[in-house]
Amino acid sequence: MTPDEFRRHGRQVIDWIAAYQEKIESYPVRSQAAPGEVLDALPQSPPETGEGFEGVLTTWTGC
């Protein structure tokens, strides 16, 4: 990752955090996941290849 890519991705993360903070009062205080739900959603094995930061950001933030 180049320094410019790092800066761009860093700004994307900061924007996501700021947007989350703006709406934080609308989110539930407690987890809505049932016991075991998160574990069951994980793949059985790790991926064969990695993915770019854009894919990670989209997967975890919906951005």
Side-chain angles (χ1 to χ4, degrees), residues 36-48:
E37 186 176 346
V38 173
L39 181 60
D40 291 343
L42 295 174
Q44 292 296 317
S45 59
E48 295 281 329

Side-chain angles (χ1 to χ4, degrees), residues 6-59:
F6 185 77
R7 285 183 188 96
R8 184 169 47 86
H9 295 314
R11 287 183 194 106
Q12 288 177 302
V13 171
I14 294 299
D15 288 345
W16 177 79
I17 292 170
Y20 179 88
Q21 289 292 322
E22 288 174 339
K23 301 182 289 184
I24 198 162
E25 291 181 3
S26 69
Y27 297 121
V29 175
R30 296 182 348 169
S31 173
Q32 303 298 299
E37 186 176 346
V38 173
L39 181 60
D40 291 343
L42 295 174
Q44 292 296 317
S45 59
E48 295 281 329
T49 59
E51 64 181 300
F53 189 79
E54 292 292 337
V56 173
L57 190 64
T58 300
T59 299

